[in-house]
Amino acid sequence: MSKIRIALIEDHDLTRVGIRTALLQKDEIEVVGEAATAAEGLKMLKVLQPDIAIVDIGLPDKDGIELTRELKSTTNSEELSTKVLILTLRDNREAVLAAFAAGADSYCMKDIKFDNLLEAVRVTYNGNAWIDPAIARIVLQQAQQNPQKSESAFVDTKAVLPNPDFAENLEGIEPYTLTERELEVLQLIVEGCSNAVIAERLYITVGTVKTHVRNILNKLCADDRTQAAVRALRSGLVG
């Protein structure tokens, strides 16, 4: 089985080392290159042409959004194979929409757990968008307000929902299928809270949270928390 070839573009040494260490725990992943600036990163990507570039949005010479725009615009579409996964602390509307408008394939917050980062890498590699639940609301609002390509950004809801049956069945979700507690947990999932944070806010154990999350995924026919968050927002289960 061929490995997923990844390049890291991140100016903070400790962060870059941490990401590399996490990725290399999986035999299916190979880190083929690293860079600390956008200029070095662009040169590296054009030479190595990795499957995925994990790009920090806050690079010292040029931000990751501009790097993504240049990469996508200067490379022939037939030759373009590198997908861009933006990694950032910024979850404001402008940054999120600008990243996708520039051609980013996935968008993750820097406080993402390593297991979720690995999931994001796999999803991105398979041609789908991995969108951090913490910023899913922004993406969906834009998609609802601008179903066609707009001047500011274009979000393909099919990319957000990789399962083709997922969007078709949204109308079938009824609020009463979830308990009041499950709706509370679902709201916190949409807000990007971890199981530990949910447990703390609702004064329940992490084990109980996991049970609620499992029940929510089953009832929403979702494969993971991201799909559950997206589906909940699109169907109006949470505000």
Side-chain angles (χ1 to χ4, degrees):
M1 182 179 69
S2 60
K3 292 189 176 184
I4 303 174
R5 302 173 65 251
I6 293 179
L8 305 177
I9 305 176
E10 162 66 61
D11 63 318
H12 293 287
D13 293 340
L14 288 177
T15 301
R16 192 171 65 249
V17 170
I19 295 173
R20 182 181 68 226
T21 301
L23 294 174
L24 292 179
Q25 291 177 9
K26 301 297 180 180
D27 293 336
E28 67 194 276
I29 293 176
E30 178 184 8
V31 177
V32 297
E34 300 178 31
T37 67
E40 294 173 356
L42 278 171
K43 292 179 182 178
M44 174 184 68
L45 294 179
K46 291 176 181 178
V47 172
L48 298 178
Q49 295 189 358
D51 298 310
I52 298 174
I54 297 180
V55 180
D56 178 25
I57 207 170
L59 297 170
D61 55 337
K62 187 182 301 182
D63 68 37
I65 294 174
E66 184 59 30
L67 182 155
T68 301
R69 184 179 295 111
E70 288 189 22
L71 175 67
K72 299 287 186 174
S73 64
T74 59
T75 309
N76 185 293
S77 60
E78 294 181 358
E79 300 173 351
L80 182 60
S81 58
T82 299
K83 297 177 175 62
V84 176
L85 189 159
I86 294 288
L87 195 63
T88 179
L89 288 171
R90 293 159 57 182
D91 62 349
N92 63 73
R93 176 184 175 85
E94 291 74 18
V96 172
L97 298 182
F100 283 110
D105 297 280
S106 293
Y107 197 105
C108 296
M109 301 300 294
K110 272 193 173 181
D111 60 0
I112 187 173
K113 291 184 177 181
F114 283 150
D115 286 346
N116 289 339
L117 177 61
L118 293 170
E119 177 191 356
V121 166
R122 295 187 185 105
V123 169
T124 305
Y125 177 74
N126 289 326
N128 296 311
W130 198 97
I131 302 175
D132 197 299
I135 58 95
R137 183 191 306 275
I138 296 173
V139 175
L140 289 171
Q141 285 175 343
Q142 179 69 12
Q144 291 163 356
Q145 293 169 6
N146 300 281
Q148 303 299 324
K149 183 181 290 185
S150 67
E151 293 181 23
S152 59
F154 175 74
V155 178
D156 185 349
T157 55
K158 290 183 179 179
V160 179
L161 308 174
N163 182 347
D165 296 328
F166 195 59
E168 294 178 4
N169 296 327
L170 287 174
E171 297 299 328
I173 303 178
E174 298 292 342
Y176 61 76
T177 62
L178 297 179
T179 66
E180 183 177 349
R181 178 62 86 187
E182 286 168 353
L183 286 171
E184 290 176 336
V185 172
L186 181 57
Q187 176 66 56
L188 294 174
I189 289 175
V190 168
E191 293 175 7
C193 297
S194 65
N195 286 347
V197 172
I198 294 174
E200 181 179 351
R201 290 194 183 182
L202 299 182
Y203 302 101
I204 56 180
T205 67
V206 172
T208 300
V209 173
K210 290 180 179 179
T211 299
H212 287 314
V213 172
R214 183 168 60 251
N215 291 338
I216 290 168
L217 296 183
N218 289 336
K219 290 181 179 182
L220 298 186
C221 299
D223 295 329
D224 52 42
R225 295 163 70 101
T226 302
Q227 281 193 351
V230 171
R231 190 164 197 185
L233 287 167
R234 288 181 60 84
S235 63
L237 282 176
V238 297

